[in-house]
Amino acid sequence: MNTTHKRRFRNFTIGVSLGAALLAAGTGFTGNSSTAYAATSTTTASTVSASIADQVIATGLKYQGVPYEYGAESGNTSSFDCSSFTQFIFEQNGISLPRSSKQQSTVGTFVPRNELQPGDLVFFYSPVHHVAIYMGDGKILHTYGDDGVTITPLDTGWWDSHYTTARRVLPANGLAATDSRPAVASPDTATPASIDDSSQDQIIGDAWNWLYNFE
């Protein structure tokens, strides 16, 4: 075998070995990327929900002290009743709610009391005829009586004994809890091979360019 053929045979052998190594590395690379994508997506969804909860509560606090008026008109900010208040401040943050507390108690998803998070709607009486927003730390933001829009402890006294249920209407994975549209591809439905195709192709292309130039 002459020198040229020997060199070509050696390069061919290197190419086969390199190709096998790249395939093995590519599989691991894609799997790791899928895991990282899943973690990032879950964190992002939680962050989105927490951020909107903060915004909803901040919007409500702007109206602290505004008088209570039974049957207040929707969208009116000079007075609120309990459900016009929740309807208005959620609407200001892109989430539509029906008008009455009874109707609001049927939207979103049920939340056990021991799993309440800021931004959840909490309901009182049976049948339901009062609604408030859970703020966290055992406090609710709502409007009633002479105090108007106010902050009240949930876990003591009258409100504790008359608590009925809670609903979560804040977004998860970019969609409202009441939205019937299918969610965009989540880490469970994303195809691992589709996540980093461009990066993997670049690595393989660079390797073959190196092998071609080696001769």
mmCIF file with all atom_site columns, all heavy atoms in Angstrom, residues 38-62:
data_model
loop_
_atom_site.group_PDB
_atom_site.id
_atom_site.type_symbol
_atom_site.label_atom_id
_atom_site.label_alt_id
_atom_site.label_comp_id
_atom_site.label_asym_id
_atom_site.label_entity_id
_atom_site.label_seq_id
_atom_site.pdbx_PDB_ins_code
_atom_site.Cartn_x
_atom_site.Cartn_y
_atom_site.Cartn_z
_atom_site.occupancy
_atom_site.B_iso_or_equiv
_atom_site.pdbx_formal_charge
_atom_site.auth_seq_id
_atom_site.auth_comp_id
_atom_site.auth_asym_id
_atom_site.auth_atom_id
_atom_site.pdbx_PDB_model_num
ATOM 1   N N   . ALA A 1 38 ? -36.561 21.094 31.000 1.00 0.00 ? 38 ALA A N   1
ATOM 2   C CA  . ALA A 1 38 ? -37.678 20.806 31.896 1.00 0.00 ? 38 ALA A CA  1
ATOM 3   C C   . ALA A 1 38 ? -37.591 21.640 33.157 1.00 0.00 ? 38 ALA A C   1
ATOM 4   O O   . ALA A 1 38 ? -38.577 22.218 33.613 1.00 0.00 ? 38 ALA A O   1
ATOM 5   C CB  . ALA A 1 38 ? -37.685 19.311 32.241 1.00 0.00 ? 38 ALA A CB  1
ATOM 6   N N   . ALA A 1 39 ? -36.387 21.708 33.760 1.00 0.00 ? 39 ALA A N   1
ATOM 7   C CA  . ALA A 1 39 ? -36.214 22.482 34.989 1.00 0.00 ? 39 ALA A CA  1
ATOM 8   C C   . ALA A 1 39 ? -36.486 23.956 34.751 1.00 0.00 ? 39 ALA A C   1
ATOM 9   O O   . ALA A 1 39 ? -37.141 24.632 35.544 1.00 0.00 ? 39 ALA A O   1
ATOM 10  C CB  . ALA A 1 39 ? -34.797 22.278 35.524 1.00 0.00 ? 39 ALA A CB  1
ATOM 11  N N   . THR A 1 40 ? -35.982 24.471 33.624 1.00 0.00 ? 40 THR A N   1
ATOM 12  C CA  . THR A 1 40 ? -36.174 25.885 33.306 1.00 0.00 ? 40 THR A CA  1
ATOM 13  C C   . THR A 1 40 ? -37.638 26.198 33.078 1.00 0.00 ? 40 THR A C   1
ATOM 14  O O   . THR A 1 40 ? -38.161 27.208 33.545 1.00 0.00 ? 40 THR A O   1
ATOM 15  C CB  . THR A 1 40 ? -35.367 26.273 32.058 1.00 0.00 ? 40 THR A CB  1
ATOM 16  O OG1 . THR A 1 40 ? -33.988 26.000 32.304 1.00 0.00 ? 40 THR A OG1 1
ATOM 17  C CG2 . THR A 1 40 ? -35.552 27.749 31.722 1.00 0.00 ? 40 THR A CG2 1
ATOM 18  N N   . SER A 1 41 ? -38.348 25.317 32.359 1.00 0.00 ? 41 SER A N   1
ATOM 19  C CA  . SER A 1 41 ? -39.760 25.539 32.056 1.00 0.00 ? 41 SER A CA  1
ATOM 20  C C   . SER A 1 41 ? -40.595 25.553 33.322 1.00 0.00 ? 41 SER A C   1
ATOM 21  O O   . SER A 1 41 ? -41.463 26.392 33.495 1.00 0.00 ? 41 SER A O   1
ATOM 22  C CB  . SER A 1 41 ? -40.259 24.462 31.097 1.00 0.00 ? 41 SER A CB  1
ATOM 23  O OG  . SER A 1 41 ? -41.621 24.648 30.805 1.00 0.00 ? 41 SER A OG  1
ATOM 24  N N   . THR A 1 42 ? -40.345 24.592 34.231 1.00 0.00 ? 42 THR A N   1
ATOM 25  C CA  . THR A 1 42 ? -41.091 24.536 35.480 1.00 0.00 ? 42 THR A CA  1
ATOM 26  C C   . THR A 1 42 ? -40.859 25.787 36.305 1.00 0.00 ? 42 THR A C   1
ATOM 27  O O   . THR A 1 42 ? -41.785 26.374 36.868 1.00 0.00 ? 42 THR A O   1
ATOM 28  C CB  . THR A 1 42 ? -40.680 23.288 36.285 1.00 0.00 ? 42 THR A CB  1
ATOM 29  O OG1 . THR A 1 42 ? -40.926 22.124 35.497 1.00 0.00 ? 42 THR A OG1 1
ATOM 30  C CG2 . THR A 1 42 ? -41.459 23.206 37.587 1.00 0.00 ? 42 THR A CG2 1
ATOM 31  N N   . THR A 1 43 ? -39.601 26.217 36.397 1.00 0.00 ? 43 THR A N   1
ATOM 32  C CA  . THR A 1 43 ? -39.268 27.421 37.142 1.00 0.00 ? 43 THR A CA  1
ATOM 33  C C   . THR A 1 43 ? -39.937 28.637 36.536 1.00 0.00 ? 43 THR A C   1
ATOM 34  O O   . THR A 1 43 ? -40.468 29.498 37.244 1.00 0.00 ? 43 THR A O   1
ATOM 35  C CB  . THR A 1 43 ? -37.737 27.635 37.166 1.00 0.00 ? 43 THR A CB  1
ATOM 36  O OG1 . THR A 1 43 ? -37.132 26.484 37.758 1.00 0.00 ? 43 THR A OG1 1
ATOM 37  C CG2 . THR A 1 43 ? -37.375 28.868 37.961 1.00 0.00 ? 43 THR A CG2 1
ATOM 38  N N   . THR A 1 44 ? -39.935 28.712 35.197 1.00 0.00 ? 44 THR A N   1
ATOM 39  C CA  . THR A 1 44 ? -40.555 29.848 34.517 1.00 0.00 ? 44 THR A CA  1
ATOM 40  C C   . THR A 1 44 ? -42.041 29.918 34.807 1.00 0.00 ? 44 THR A C   1
ATOM 41  O O   . THR A 1 44 ? -42.586 30.993 35.072 1.00 0.00 ? 44 THR A O   1
ATOM 42  C CB  . THR A 1 44 ? -40.333 29.751 33.000 1.00 0.00 ? 44 THR A CB  1
ATOM 43  O OG1 . THR A 1 44 ? -38.922 29.751 32.753 1.00 0.00 ? 44 THR A OG1 1
ATOM 44  C CG2 . THR A 1 44 ? -40.972 30.922 32.269 1.00 0.00 ? 44 THR A CG2 1
ATOM 45  N N   . ALA A 1 45 ? -42.732 28.775 34.772 1.00 0.00 ? 45 ALA A N   1
ATOM 46  C CA  . ALA A 1 45 ? -44.169 28.756 35.040 1.00 0.00 ? 45 ALA A CA  1
ATOM 47  C C   . ALA A 1 45 ? -44.464 29.253 36.444 1.00 0.00 ? 45 ALA A C   1
ATOM 48  O O   . ALA A 1 45 ? -45.388 30.045 36.662 1.00 0.00 ? 45 ALA A O   1
ATOM 49  C CB  . ALA A 1 45 ? -44.715 27.342 34.854 1.00 0.00 ? 45 ALA A CB  1
ATOM 50  N N   . SER A 1 46 ? -43.678 28.796 37.434 1.00 0.00 ? 46 SER A N   1
ATOM 51  C CA  . SER A 1 46 ? -43.871 29.240 38.809 1.00 0.00 ? 46 SER A CA  1
ATOM 52  C C   . SER A 1 46 ? -43.616 30.727 38.947 1.00 0.00 ? 46 SER A C   1
ATOM 53  O O   . SER A 1 46 ? -44.325 31.433 39.663 1.00 0.00 ? 46 SER A O   1
ATOM 54  C CB  . SER A 1 46 ? -42.932 28.463 39.745 1.00 0.00 ? 46 SER A CB  1
ATOM 55  O OG  . SER A 1 46 ? -43.190 27.087 39.677 1.00 0.00 ? 46 SER A OG  1
ATOM 56  N N   . THR A 1 47 ? -42.585 31.215 38.249 1.00 0.00 ? 47 THR A N   1
ATOM 57  C CA  . THR A 1 47 ? -42.243 32.626 38.317 1.00 0.00 ? 47 THR A CA  1
ATOM 58  C C   . THR A 1 47 ? -43.338 33.493 37.724 1.00 0.00 ? 47 THR A C   1
ATOM 59  O O   . THR A 1 47 ? -43.696 34.542 38.270 1.00 0.00 ? 47 THR A O   1
ATOM 60  C CB  . THR A 1 47 ? -40.914 32.893 37.586 1.00 0.00 ? 47 THR A CB  1
ATOM 61  O OG1 . THR A 1 47 ? -39.892 32.091 38.193 1.00 0.00 ? 47 THR A OG1 1
ATOM 62  C CG2 . THR A 1 47 ? -40.524 34.361 37.676 1.00 0.00 ? 47 THR A CG2 1
ATOM 63  N N   . VAL A 1 48 ? -43.895 33.042 36.589 1.00 0.00 ? 48 VAL A N   1
ATOM 64  C CA  . VAL A 1 48 ? -44.979 33.784 35.945 1.00 0.00 ? 48 VAL A CA  1
ATOM 65  C C   . VAL A 1 48 ? -46.157 33.917 36.888 1.00 0.00 ? 48 VAL A C   1
ATOM 66  O O   . VAL A 1 48 ? -46.720 34.992 37.072 1.00 0.00 ? 48 VAL A O   1
ATOM 67  C CB  . VAL A 1 48 ? -45.409 33.082 34.636 1.00 0.00 ? 48 VAL A CB  1
ATOM 68  C CG1 . VAL A 1 48 ? -46.727 33.655 34.128 1.00 0.00 ? 48 VAL A CG1 1
ATOM 69  C CG2 . VAL A 1 48 ? -44.333 33.249 33.576 1.00 0.00 ? 48 VAL A CG2 1
ATOM 70  N N   . SER A 1 49 ? -46.560 32.789 37.516 1.00 0.00 ? 49 SER A N   1
ATOM 71  C CA  . SER A 1 49 ? -47.701 32.791 38.418 1.00 0.00 ? 49 SER A CA  1
ATOM 72  C C   . SER A 1 49 ? -47.466 33.712 39.613 1.00 0.00 ? 49 SER A C   1
ATOM 73  O O   . SER A 1 49 ? -48.334 34.498 39.995 1.00 0.00 ? 49 SER A O   1
ATOM 74  C CB  . SER A 1 49 ? -47.977 31.367 38.902 1.00 0.00 ? 49 SER A CB  1
ATOM 75  O OG  . SER A 1 49 ? -49.102 31.329 39.747 1.00 0.00 ? 49 SER A OG  1
ATOM 76  N N   . ALA A 1 50 ? -46.248 33.627 40.222 1.00 0.00 ? 50 ALA A N   1
ATOM 77  C CA  . ALA A 1 50 ? -45.931 34.467 41.372 1.00 0.00 ? 50 ALA A CA  1
ATOM 78  C C   . ALA A 1 50 ? -45.914 35.936 40.981 1.00 0.00 ? 50 ALA A C   1
ATOM 79  O O   . ALA A 1 50 ? -46.390 36.798 41.729 1.00 0.00 ? 50 ALA A O   1
ATOM 80  C CB  . ALA A 1 50 ? -44.584 34.051 41.965 1.00 0.00 ? 50 ALA A CB  1
ATOM 81  N N   . SER A 1 51 ? -45.382 36.242 39.809 1.00 0.00 ? 51 SER A N   1
ATOM 82  C CA  . SER A 1 51 ? -45.296 37.625 39.359 1.00 0.00 ? 51 SER A CA  1
ATOM 83  C C   . SER A 1 51 ? -46.684 38.230 39.171 1.00 0.00 ? 51 SER A C   1
ATOM 84  O O   . SER A 1 51 ? -46.943 39.357 39.584 1.00 0.00 ? 51 SER A O   1
ATOM 85  C CB  . SER A 1 51 ? -44.510 37.686 38.046 1.00 0.00 ? 51 SER A CB  1
ATOM 86  O OG  . SER A 1 51 ? -44.487 38.995 37.541 1.00 0.00 ? 51 SER A OG  1
ATOM 87  N N   . ILE A 1 52 ? -47.606 37.489 38.558 1.00 0.00 ? 52 ILE A N   1
ATOM 88  C CA  . ILE A 1 52 ? -48.955 37.996 38.348 1.00 0.00 ? 52 ILE A CA  1
ATOM 89  C C   . ILE A 1 52 ? -49.677 38.141 39.681 1.00 0.00 ? 52 ILE A C   1
ATOM 90  O O   . ILE A 1 52 ? -50.428 39.097 39.891 1.00 0.00 ? 52 ILE A O   1
ATOM 91  C CB  . ILE A 1 52 ? -49.733 37.086 37.386 1.00 0.00 ? 52 ILE A CB  1
ATOM 92  C CG1 . ILE A 1 52 ? -49.083 37.125 36.004 1.00 0.00 ? 52 ILE A CG1 1
ATOM 93  C CG2 . ILE A 1 52 ? -51.196 37.508 37.284 1.00 0.00 ? 52 ILE A CG2 1
ATOM 94  C CD1 . ILE A 1 52 ? -49.739 36.235 34.982 1.00 0.00 ? 52 ILE A CD1 1
ATOM 95  N N   . ALA A 1 53 ? -49.464 37.224 40.611 1.00 0.00 ? 53 ALA A N   1
ATOM 96  C CA  . ALA A 1 53 ? -50.066 37.343 41.943 1.00 0.00 ? 53 ALA A CA  1
ATOM 97  C C   . ALA A 1 53 ? -49.626 38.639 42.608 1.00 0.00 ? 53 ALA A C   1
ATOM 98  O O   . ALA A 1 53 ? -50.446 39.371 43.185 1.00 0.00 ? 53 ALA A O   1
ATOM 99  C CB  . ALA A 1 53 ? -49.684 36.141 42.796 1.00 0.00 ? 53 ALA A CB  1
ATOM 100 N N   . ASP A 1 54 ? -48.341 38.933 42.529 1.00 0.00 ? 54 ASP A N   1
ATOM 101 C CA  . ASP A 1 54 ? -47.824 40.180 43.108 1.00 0.00 ? 54 ASP A CA  1
ATOM 102 C C   . ASP A 1 54 ? -48.490 41.391 42.465 1.00 0.00 ? 54 ASP A C   1
ATOM 103 O O   . ASP A 1 54 ? -48.830 42.367 43.147 1.00 0.00 ? 54 ASP A O   1
ATOM 104 C CB  . ASP A 1 54 ? -46.305 40.266 42.918 1.00 0.00 ? 54 ASP A CB  1
ATOM 105 C CG  . ASP A 1 54 ? -45.548 39.250 43.759 1.00 0.00 ? 54 ASP A CG  1
ATOM 106 O OD1 . ASP A 1 54 ? -46.139 38.726 44.722 1.00 0.00 ? 54 ASP A OD1 1
ATOM 107 O OD2 . ASP A 1 54 ? -44.378 38.982 43.436 1.00 0.00 ? 54 ASP A OD2 1
ATOM 108 N N   . GLN A 1 55 ? -48.661 41.330 41.148 1.00 0.00 ? 55 GLN A N   1
ATOM 109 C CA  . GLN A 1 55 ? -49.273 42.450 40.432 1.00 0.00 ? 55 GLN A CA  1
ATOM 110 C C   . GLN A 1 55 ? -50.735 42.627 40.821 1.00 0.00 ? 55 GLN A C   1
ATOM 111 O O   . GLN A 1 55 ? -51.217 43.750 40.998 1.00 0.00 ? 55 GLN A O   1
ATOM 112 C CB  . GLN A 1 55 ? -49.149 42.228 38.925 1.00 0.00 ? 55 GLN A CB  1
ATOM 113 C CG  . GLN A 1 55 ? -47.714 42.278 38.412 1.00 0.00 ? 55 GLN A CG  1
ATOM 114 C CD  . GLN A 1 55 ? -47.610 41.832 36.957 1.00 0.00 ? 55 GLN A CD  1
ATOM 115 O OE1 . GLN A 1 55 ? -48.592 41.839 36.224 1.00 0.00 ? 55 GLN A OE1 1
ATOM 116 N NE2 . GLN A 1 55 ? -46.420 41.425 36.549 1.00 0.00 ? 55 GLN A NE2 1
ATOM 117 N N   . VAL A 1 56 ? -51.461 41.514 40.938 1.00 0.00 ? 56 VAL A N   1
ATOM 118 C CA  . VAL A 1 56 ? -52.868 41.575 41.329 1.00 0.00 ? 56 VAL A CA  1
ATOM 119 C C   . VAL A 1 56 ? -53.012 42.197 42.715 1.00 0.00 ? 56 VAL A C   1
ATOM 120 O O   . VAL A 1 56 ? -53.837 43.096 42.939 1.00 0.00 ? 56 VAL A O   1
ATOM 121 C CB  . VAL A 1 56 ? -53.498 40.157 41.303 1.00 0.00 ? 56 VAL A CB  1
ATOM 122 C CG1 . VAL A 1 56 ? -54.854 40.151 42.010 1.00 0.00 ? 56 VAL A CG1 1
ATOM 123 C CG2 . VAL A 1 56 ? -53.639 39.664 39.875 1.00 0.00 ? 56 VAL A CG2 1
ATOM 124 N N   . ILE A 1 57 ? -52.199 41.726 43.644 1.00 0.00 ? 57 ILE A N   1
ATOM 125 C CA  . ILE A 1 57 ? -52.261 42.244 45.017 1.00 0.00 ? 57 ILE A CA  1
ATOM 126 C C   . ILE A 1 57 ? -51.866 43.720 45.061 1.00 0.00 ? 57 ILE A C   1
ATOM 127 O O   . ILE A 1 57 ? -52.506 44.527 45.740 1.00 0.00 ? 57 ILE A O   1
ATOM 128 C CB  . ILE A 1 57 ? -51.373 41.396 45.950 1.00 0.00 ? 57 ILE A CB  1
ATOM 129 C CG1 . ILE A 1 57 ? -51.978 39.987 46.080 1.00 0.00 ? 57 ILE A CG1 1
ATOM 130 C CG2 . ILE A 1 57 ? -51.231 42.050 47.313 1.00 0.00 ? 57 ILE A CG2 1
ATOM 131 C CD1 . ILE A 1 57 ? -51.064 38.980 46.733 1.00 0.00 ? 57 ILE A CD1 1
ATOM 132 N N   . ALA A 1 58 ? -50.819 44.076 44.324 1.00 0.00 ? 58 ALA A N   1
ATOM 133 C CA  . ALA A 1 58 ? -50.390 45.483 44.285 1.00 0.00 ? 58 ALA A CA  1
ATOM 134 C C   . ALA A 1 58 ? -51.493 46.373 43.717 1.00 0.00 ? 58 ALA A C   1
ATOM 135 O O   . ALA A 1 58 ? -51.721 47.490 44.206 1.00 0.00 ? 58 ALA A O   1
ATOM 136 C CB  . ALA A 1 58 ? -49.119 45.618 43.451 1.00 0.00 ? 58 ALA A CB  1
ATOM 137 N N   . THR A 1 59 ? -52.196 45.872 42.689 1.00 0.00 ? 59 THR A N   1
ATOM 138 C CA  . THR A 1 59 ? -53.311 46.640 42.122 1.00 0.00 ? 59 THR A CA  1
ATOM 139 C C   . THR A 1 59 ? -54.399 46.836 43.170 1.00 0.00 ? 59 THR A C   1
ATOM 140 O O   . THR A 1 59 ? -54.926 47.947 43.342 1.00 0.00 ? 59 THR A O   1
ATOM 141 C CB  . THR A 1 59 ? -53.902 45.909 40.902 1.00 0.00 ? 59 THR A CB  1
ATOM 142 O OG1 . THR A 1 59 ? -52.883 45.747 39.911 1.00 0.00 ? 59 THR A OG1 1
ATOM 143 C CG2 . THR A 1 59 ? -55.061 46.708 40.297 1.00 0.00 ? 59 THR A CG2 1
ATOM 144 N N   . GLY A 1 60 ? -54.737 45.777 43.896 1.00 0.00 ? 60 GLY A N   1
ATOM 145 C CA  . GLY A 1 60 ? -55.775 45.875 44.929 1.00 0.00 ? 60 GLY A CA  1
ATOM 146 C C   . GLY A 1 60 ? -55.422 46.833 46.046 1.00 0.00 ? 60 GLY A C   1
ATOM 147 O O   . GLY A 1 60 ? -56.276 47.588 46.537 1.00 0.00 ? 60 GLY A O   1
ATOM 148 N N   . LEU A 1 61 ? -54.149 46.841 46.429 1.00 0.00 ? 61 LEU A N   1
ATOM 149 C CA  . LEU A 1 61 ? -53.714 47.710 47.527 1.00 0.00 ? 61 LEU A CA  1
ATOM 150 C C   . LEU A 1 61 ? -53.823 49.196 47.170 1.00 0.00 ? 61 LEU A C   1
ATOM 151 O O   . LEU A 1 61 ? -53.930 50.044 48.059 1.00 0.00 ? 61 LEU A O   1
ATOM 152 C CB  . LEU A 1 61 ? -52.282 47.371 47.933 1.00 0.00 ? 61 LEU A CB  1
ATOM 153 C CG  . LEU A 1 61 ? -52.108 46.033 48.670 1.00 0.00 ? 61 LEU A CG  1
ATOM 154 C CD1 . LEU A 1 61 ? -50.632 45.715 48.865 1.00 0.00 ? 61 LEU A CD1 1
ATOM 155 C CD2 . LEU A 1 61 ? -52.824 46.070 50.024 1.00 0.00 ? 61 LEU A CD2 1
ATOM 156 N N   . LYS A 1 62 ? -53.808 49.505 45.897 1.00 0.00 ? 62 LYS A N   1
ATOM 157 C CA  . LYS A 1 62 ? -53.969 50.898 45.475 1.00 0.00 ? 62 LYS A CA  1
ATOM 158 C C   . LYS A 1 62 ? -55.337 51.448 45.877 1.00 0.00 ? 62 LYS A C   1
ATOM 159 O O   . LYS A 1 62 ? -55.514 52.662 46.002 1.00 0.00 ? 62 LYS A O   1
ATOM 160 C CB  . LYS A 1 62 ? -53.809 51.018 43.951 1.00 0.00 ? 62 LYS A CB  1
ATOM 161 C CG  . LYS A 1 62 ? -52.421 50.732 43.424 1.00 0.00 ? 62 LYS A CG  1
ATOM 162 C CD  . LYS A 1 62 ? -52.396 50.841 41.898 1.00 0.00 ? 62 LYS A CD  1
ATOM 163 C CE  . LYS A 1 62 ? -51.037 50.496 41.320 1.00 0.00 ? 62 LYS A CE  1
ATOM 164 N NZ  . LYS A 1 62 ? -51.038 50.564 39.830 1.00 0.00 ? 62 LYS A NZ  1
#
